[in-house]
Amino acid sequence: MTKEEQLLQPSTTEKWGIFEIVLVGPQDGNPFTDVTLSAEFRHVNEIIHVDGFYDGMGTYRIRFMPETEGEWSYLTHSNVPALNDRTGTFTCIPPGKNSHGPVRTAGCGFEYADGTRYTPFGTTCYAWIHQQVNLQEQTIHTLASTAFNKVRMCIFPKYYAYNLNEPEVFPYICYPAEVKFDMRRFDPRFWRNLESRLVQLRDLNIEADLILFHPYDEGHWGFDNMDEDSDDFYLRYVIARLAAHRNVWWSVANEWDFMVNKTVTDFDRYLQILQRHDPFHHLRSNHNGVKWYDHTKPWVTHASIQNPDPSQSAKLLLQYHKPVIFDECMYEGNIESLWGCLTPEMMTQRFWDGVLHGGYVTHGETYTAPDDILWWSKGGSLHGKSPQRIAFLRTIIDEAPLNLAPNDHLFGWESGAIGVLETAARFYLVYFGPFQPARKDLSLPSNSQFTIEIIDTWNMVITKVPGTFSGKFRIELPGKPYLALRIKAVD
């Protein structure tokens, strides 16, 4: 790249898009550690500081996600004269049609930056970016045909059951003769591939819930046992390189409490680094194995839970006053471990249980395969029966009013398996779970008339009950499990 080429920055960037400054600098020594690079971006009275990063072959980049329309200017800072005091301007133009910005919390729920509703219906593909390119492409193709709008995925590779293959490229430079990684030199090839996948997910309106650490290294590579300086150095590089992608979330760890060489203090520090240095304030969480992290801490934006009972969502909302996602409630599949052999009916029920109690749920699939390509780990293709039922639920929630809240006691029911969402005494969504009532007594406001639909959540059939209803009455039901009611006031 010539100096003339590096000056050709784009003149316009969409709101919530990526404006990138590309500079040419030194290659000698270790540019990852020897060179400091940052920029300050200004718009009227708004000033945002962003760190840059080294991308190999003498190329340095600074990425910025503008969140305010209008003219911006920038000034770079570096300990290298060739990178220092570079200036320029660009105009932030309105966002594209399908761009709503990064996801933020909104009370105990979520919404896009422009206020558009966002309800997470996630899935799990931990190590899909560490597989062969054709398998990665198959994963993207599969996701494009689902209703999933969030993917939990690891930056570091996993060495675990059904995932013992060696990646072709790692986050760090590897010296094969020594089978040793240099924790101060990143491999740009890995990061460029990750970035390309983030863009593909973004174009599918899918959030990337990036897991930054995990215990499933088994001493194989050593990524789970780096020293404090290496951990922090890695986090700062991740932020500088990836934070400008609007569809990024930070999940500090998967099963943080299984990382025996780390302490609670370490995880507090990780989250504080993200809070302090991410200029775009992406969502932050910490996922548990057995011991739950304290989600009330101010650097946590939402609770990421592993537990088989998502109906606890309502209780946890009262405890944390933050959104609650059951990111792991076991998986649909048939492997030998109980956590990976839910029936599709059970997986579907857990989504309904979580959502009807005010929370959110993440899917996973672990069906055995001759080639050990399980969706939960490697991606590829889906084989289960719950994804289409989850999509059906998403349609129902997307069509429902905003500001739904759980109310298990609304109709005098106190079983945790029965969920009720309601809003303003005008809309109710009731789920009976595994129970199979043939009739039910209901009591609705007597000053309004309501229509009722019976939802067969497994067969995905909605049947309207003739007439309108008000006050106290009895409704006849099919007497089978996994039924729901949608009750709407007549305008």
Side-chain angles (χ1 to χ4, degrees):
M1 178 183 299
T2 66
K3 289 185 177 180
E4 289 73 19
E5 289 174 325
Q6 70 181 343
L7 293 173
L8 294 175
Q9 311 297 351
S11 60
T12 62
T13 299
E14 287 186 4
K15 184 177 183 180
W16 304 307
I18 298 177
F19 176 80
E20 183 174 86
I21 303 170
V22 184
L23 302 170
V24 175
Q27 302 184 50
D28 57 322
N30 183 357
F32 292 103
T33 57
D34 298 342
V35 177
T36 62
L37 177 63
S38 65
E40 60 182 44
F41 290 83
R42 292 175 176 262
H43 171 74
V44 191
N45 295 322
E46 186 177 5
I47 303 175
I48 299 176
H49 296 272
V50 177
D51 287 334
F53 63 93
Y54 183 58
D55 195 29
M57 301 298 291
T59 301
Y60 295 79
R61 302 180 188 274
I62 304 171
R63 290 177 176 158
F64 179 66
M65 180 183 71
E67 299 186 73
T68 305
E69 294 175 31
E71 184 170 295
W72 287 83
S73 64
Y74 65 82
L75 170 67
T76 69
H77 303 284
S78 177
N79 61 344
V80 175
L83 308 176
N84 191 42
D85 286 336
R86 307 303 293 266
T87 62
T89 62
F90 73 94
T91 302
C92 176
I93 61 177
K97 180 179 179 181
N98 294 319
S99 173
H100 302 289
V103 173
R104 310 295 191 197
T105 59
C108 289
F110 298 95
E111 65 182 16
Y112 288 104
D114 69 353
T116 301
R117 163 188 274 170
Y118 174 80
T119 305
F121 284 86
T123 189
T124 307
C125 293
Y126 286 130
W128 74 280
I129 62 166
H130 304 100
Q131 310 309 313
Q132 297 288 331
V133 171
N134 61 337
L135 187 54
Q136 294 182 42
E137 289 295 335
Q138 185 180 7
T139 303
I140 289 291
H141 179 75
T142 299
L143 287 168
S145 65
T146 72
F148 296 125
N149 60 6
K150 181 172 86 79
V151 175
R152 279 179 58 75
M153 51 189 284
C154 298
I155 291 182
F156 286 126
K158 290 185 69 173
Y159 192 78
Y160 190 65
Y162 301 102
N163 198 163
L164 301 177
N165 56 305
E166 293 283 329
E168 290 185 356
V169 183
F170 291 87
Y172 296 99
I173 294 293
C174 179
Y175 303 108
E178 306 173 53
V179 194
K180 181 181 179 182
F181 293 93
D182 186 339
M183 305 307 187
R184 289 296 189 274
R185 292 179 185 269
F186 298 99
D187 191 333
R189 296 175 300 168
F190 169 84
W191 297 92
R192 291 171 195 149
N193 179 67
L194 170 56
E195 290 158 355
S196 71
R197 302 308 178 189
L198 293 179
V199 170
Q200 287 178 305
L201 293 174
R202 180 202 68 194
D203 292 345
L204 294 174
N205 292 316
I206 296 175
E207 303 294 302
D209 196 358
L210 295 178
I211 298 167
L212 303 176
F213 296 98
H214 65 74
Y216 299 108
D217 191 304
E218 304 291 333
H220 191 67
W221 301 299
F223 303 138
D224 62 336
N225 194 26
M226 299 187 296
D227 59 38
E228 181 176 318
D229 288 343
S230 296
D231 286 345
D232 296 359
F233 183 67
Y234 157 73
L235 287 176
R236 292 295 298 274
Y237 189 80
V238 166
I239 295 167
R241 181 140 202 165
L242 304 181
H245 292 267
R246 65 174 175 263
N247 60 323
V248 159
W249 299 21
W250 309 124
S251 178
V252 172
N254 197 64
E255 299 175 337
W256 73 273
D257 49 315
F258 294 167
M259 299 187 70
V260 296
N261 296 312
K262 308 296 181 185
T263 66
V264 174
T265 301
D266 288 319
F267 288 96
D268 289 346
R269 189 181 77 256
Y270 300 154
L271 282 154
Q272 289 171 322
I273 288 172
L274 292 165
Q275 182 186 42
R276 187 181 311 119
H277 294 287
D278 175 5
F280 312 115
H281 310 295
H282 292 288
L283 298 174
R284 301 178 299 272
S285 67
N286 195 19
H287 173 269
N288 65 282
V290 175
K291 182 179 179 180
W292 292 21
Y293 187 73
D294 181 1
H295 304 292
T296 63
K297 293 181 177 180
W299 40 80
V300 175
T301 58
H302 65 282
S304 176
I305 304 296
Q306 176 177 182
N307 187 274
D309 183 12
S311 70
Q312 294 185 41
S313 294
K315 179 183 71 175
L316 296 176
L317 289 173
L318 294 175
Q319 179 179 347
Y320 296 132
H321 303 287
K322 297 177 181 180
V324 173
I325 306 180
F326 279 73
D327 274 317
E328 188 174 342
C329 62
M330 306 171 70
Y331 306 120
E332 178 187 348
N334 61 359
I335 62 174
E336 66 279 3
S337 300
L338 289 180
W339 52 260
C341 54
L342 291 182
T343 66
E345 290 88 350
M346 294 168 73
M347 185 83 255
T348 303
Q349 181 194 334
R350 292 184 188 203
F351 264 80
W352 277 86
D353 280 343
V355 172
L356 268 288
H357 286 87
Y360 310 95
V361 185
T362 299
H363 159 274
E365 183 181 289
T366 49
Y367 283 104
T368 58
D371 51 11
D372 280 353
I373 298 178
L374 281 64
W375 174 262
W376 139 91
S377 186
K378 296 179 180 177
S381 299
L382 285 163
H383 306 283
K385 297 181 179 179
S386 66
Q388 55 266 50
R389 275 96 187 163
I390 294 167
F392 178 67
L393 170 59
R394 180 180 170 184
T395 298
I396 290 171
I397 295 300
D398 286 348
E399 293 174 351
L402 295 171
N403 303 316
L404 291 170
N407 190 341
D408 288 353
H409 307 288
L410 185 65
F411 297 116
W413 304 325
E414 297 184 1
S415 169
I418 296 175
V420 180
L421 283 177
E422 57 121 358
T423 181
R426 302 286 293 172
F427 178 93
Y428 307 91
L429 191 60
V430 184
Y431 179 59
F432 298 108
F435 301 101
Q436 50 181 9
R439 60 181 67 90
K440 202 67 189 174
D441 293 324
L442 297 178
S443 179
L444 297 171
S446 57
N447 59 349
S448 298
Q449 293 293 315
F450 294 84
T451 60
I452 296 179
E453 295 166 302
I454 299 172
I455 304 173
D456 183 332
T457 67
W458 179 253
N459 292 307
M460 298 177 287
V461 174
I462 300 176
T463 304
K464 188 177 187 303
V465 180
T468 60
F469 301 84
S470 182
K472 294 182 179 181
F473 59 93
R474 171 170 288 183
I475 184 173
E476 300 297 320
L477 298 171
K480 55 197 265 189
Y482 309 125
L483 295 178
L485 300 178
R486 181 163 58 184
I487 304 172
K488 297 185 286 187
V490 178
D491 291 334

